[in-house]
Amino acid sequence: MKRWIVLSLAGVVALGLASQLPGCTASRGGSGAAAAQKVYVKPGEHDTYYAFLSGGHHGNVYVYGMPSCRHITTIPVFTPEPAVGYGVDEESKVMLGGFSWGDAHHPGLSETDGDYDGRWLFINDMPNARIARIDLKDFKTRQIFGPIPNLSAAHACPFPTPNTEYVFAASRFSAPVPNRYVKVEDYAKEFRGIIAGVKVDPKDGTMSMGFEILMPPFNWDLADAGKGPSHGWEFFTCYNSEMGFDSLEVKASQAEMDFVAAVDWRAAQKAVDEGKAKMISGVPVLDPQQVKGIAYLIPVPKSPHGVDVNPSGEYICASGKLQADVSVYSYAKMKAAIDGGKFDGDRMGVPVLKYEDVLEATVPVGLGPLHTQFDDKGNAYTSLFLDSQIAKWKVGPPWQVVDKIDVYYSIGHLMASEGDTRHPTGEYVVALDKLSKDRYLNVGPTHPEAAQLIDLRGPKMELLYDFPTYLEPHYAQMIKAEKLKPITVYPMVENHKPGAIRTAEEARIERKGNRVDVYGLVVRTHFTPDIVRVNEGDDVYFHWTNLEQDDDIAHGFGILWSSCNMQVEPGETKTMRWKAARPGITPFYCSNFCSALHQEMQGYIEVSPRGTPVAAVQRPAPEKTAEVAALLKTE
Ligand code: RUQ
Ligand code: CUA
């Protein structure tokens, strides 16, 4: 987005909107000791919120505690994380599907009745059109769905519906559907946008394909789910309704209006169930030219970015980023216009509603409005990218700005505490700034990103704290800590992994051809077996079970001269493949500090020359198993 600043700033000036600059507000840089007290969480005490920040093109999720703004952990999602073996062990390697990169923009907490329920966190990988599900029981990525067929980049994604019935994805870049060779110049004729509805299993969160809708080849940008009266709808913004295919920074800003697409996802699913879809690349795709009543277009001035539904579900707020207003649409008016068949033509079969018929109000917030979040007192907070401010405004007449605060600098998203649910808590908002410039010690040409905690509890917004983040949060969500009850160990009784063993007697090395399976145990502070004998050329699969049932006692398994390392948490079994490339001795060791004798936790792989006779099964000597049994008893 950084390049965009310069270009769109030029655009705004050219549009003469600079004259609408709101009166400037004095900067509030936090009030020292009083502000410090509001973020201070005593050593040993816990924060009241978890905040999940997307990791952008770092491809993962950062977890912070709020209000202390302490970075607690990073959850690997789309990018390998060698420290824990994510993308290295067999299971996560398969889940990553051969990709070593993702661009994660928008975390979406699962909801029940429009409020966060603390079960799962979904997040998109925009370029590879994937959605990941993180289980908040153990903060682990458990499913990566996609690449979703026909979809070129999932930016408007995942934005779950109020009961997590669906997560969505819409194509930011249009492409031919199905993808095939065409001339880019045939864009308007051959390219299409796609809106995809991905079903979520209510019991375990498993994602599966629901439907796709063929849309005009606009750039589909952001989304939000309807709630309350608008439950059943999902809203998507777009830019480039001009259908430019080059020099978009100029060509996609020509039209007065772009659109919000309103999708009736129940109607779409019903149409698929009734067989009205055509299969494209294995996915049921609905074409609005043939299937009516699934999608509508609402005009929005000037290349909107965010779209956000207010807590009551009555209003849909969209911000033309080259505008100085938020356009607020009424769901009731939209529904009346649809029911009355009041359309202004269509775009490729998608009926267009009239702007005046649906608009409730415009709120003059300031320059470069991007995203809006809400509090519990009927206020909205809109990030202003060009003004580097947050505008607080009243949802409802007289639709006016009531406060503004400077942020440092160039805010993209903002995250209010539970601020996109039916019941925001109204305590904090975090500004997710794109440029930190001079806010931190200089670390060379690439500065950290900047986030800023702002108190919403008083009549005026108050800046409390600055904290740097690594590249590059977009959206984030903040949930009351008490809603999450993460486990601290995996109960051994629930470990049904095929490679799992429970006793030292079961430890063994099995050979079939040149595949060798090592079934082993890790406990403080011993690998069983700790001598592994294989032949040159063997494919060795290590299955380690960590029998510990104590908090925070993870063991590592790192093999010298390789990229093989992983962490095995208490009660877990993990499998890793290692190739015995040449004869010789290869040490392995526990890479995760686990106890006073952690340094002694090691072993050797003895690789004999190709063809050396070896037993089909090797077991540790009885005195060894007795030793381990004794270790387990002292546990
Ligand atoms: S987008 S700010 Cu995914 Cu708003 Cu970046
Ligand atoms: Cu086990 Cu260190």
Side-chain angles (χ1 to χ4, degrees), residues 230-273:
S230 53
H231 185 150
W233 294 79
E234 184 89 8
F235 303 95
F236 300 86
T237 49
C238 71
Y239 56 98
N240 193 28
S241 59
E242 296 86 346
M243 301 190 288
F245 52 85
D246 61 353
S247 304
L248 246 57
E249 74 279 13
V250 177
K251 292 186 183 164
S253 306
Q254 302 301 310
E256 271 311 306
M257 295 283 183
D258 292 287
F259 300 102
V260 159
V263 169
D264 182 339
W265 48 263
R266 286 187 281 224
Q269 189 63 60
K270 190 161 164 269
V272 168
D273 297 344

Side-chain angles (χ1 to χ4, degrees), residues 459-475:
K460 290 251 164 212
M461 291 180 276
E462 184 194 1
L463 175 58
L464 299 180
Y465 200 67
D466 269 22
F467 60 104
T469 62
Y470 193 56
L471 314 173
E472 175 178 275
H474 291 259
Y475 188 33

Side-chain angles (χ1 to χ4, degrees), residues 10-11 75 151 182 186 189 284 301 349 529 579 620:
I75 307 171
L151 198 79
V182 298
D186 291 331
K189 201 168 121 251
K579 183 91 184 159

Side-chain angles (χ1 to χ4, degrees), residues 126-323:
M126 196 232 323
N128 302 313
R130 295 181 294 167
I131 308 177
R133 186 187 77 254
I134 295 158
D135 196 328
L136 294 176
K137 237 193 285 143
D138 59 0
F139 285 58
K140 296 288 194 296
T141 304
R142 289 301 175 202
Q143 187 189 7
I144 295 180
F145 183 77
I148 300 171
N150 305 323
L151 198 79
S152 38
H155 190 254
C157 180
F159 302 101
T161 53
N163 293 305
T164 323
E165 296 96 334
Y166 285 86
V167 287
F168 286 91
S171 52
R172 171 167 163 201
F173 312 101
S174 290
V177 177
N179 210 330
R180 60 192 183 276
Y181 169 72
V182 298
K183 286 272 174 225
V184 174
E185 287 74 10
D186 291 331
Y187 187 93
K189 201 168 121 251
E190 300 284 359
F191 286 43
R192 285 294 174 274
I194 286 283
I195 287 176
V198 174
K199 275 194 238 179
V200 179
D201 184 295
K203 281 195 296 298
D204 61 12
T206 302
M207 291 176 275
S208 61
M209 202 63 230
F211 58 85
E212 288 186 353
I213 303 175
L214 218 44
M215 297 296 284
F218 309 156
N219 292 53
W220 297 96
D221 202 17
L222 276 151
D224 198 16
K227 42 179 162 304
S230 53
H231 185 150
W233 294 79
E234 184 89 8
F235 303 95
F236 300 86
T237 49
C238 71
Y239 56 98
N240 193 28
S241 59
E242 296 86 346
M243 301 190 288
F245 52 85
D246 61 353
S247 304
L248 246 57
E249 74 279 13
V250 177
K251 292 186 183 164
S253 306
Q254 302 301 310
E256 271 311 306
M257 295 283 183
D258 292 287
F259 300 102
V260 159
V263 169
D264 182 339
W265 48 263
R266 286 187 281 224
Q269 189 63 60
K270 190 161 164 269
V272 168
D273 297 344
E274 287 168 356
K276 293 183 181 159
K278 137 166 145 227
M279 296 303 280
I280 304 178
S281 322
V283 173
V285 182
L286 298 163
D287 183 349
Q289 319 246 27
Q290 274 113 45
V291 186
K292 300 293 163 202
I294 52 175
Y296 303 89
L297 294 172
I298 304 169
V300 186
K302 296 288 168 205
S303 304
H305 186 53
V307 57
D308 298 284
V309 178
N310 81 314
S312 72
E314 295 167 89
Y315 300 114
I316 302 125
C317 309
S319 318
K321 57 189 184 258
L322 302 183
Q323 225 200 346

Side-chain angles (χ1 to χ4, degrees), residues 137 457 596 623 630:
K137 237 193 285 143
R457 292 167 295 183
E623 61 272 21

Side-chain angles (χ1 to χ4, degrees), residues 19 107 279 289 366 370 409 418 421 428 438 455 564 577 604:
S19 56
M279 296 303 280
Q289 319 246 27
L370 292 187
Y409 303 88
E418 307 205 350
T421 67
Y428 304 106
D438 55 0
D455 194 345
C564 294
R577 175 182 174 268
Y604 289 104

Side-chain angles (χ1 to χ4, degrees), residues 523-525 554-556 590-595 598-599 601:
V523 282
R524 270 163 293 176
T525 32
H555 295 286
C590 173
S591 54
N592 195 75
F593 196 96
C594 53
S595 71
H598 154 78
Q599 208 70 353
M601 192 167 171

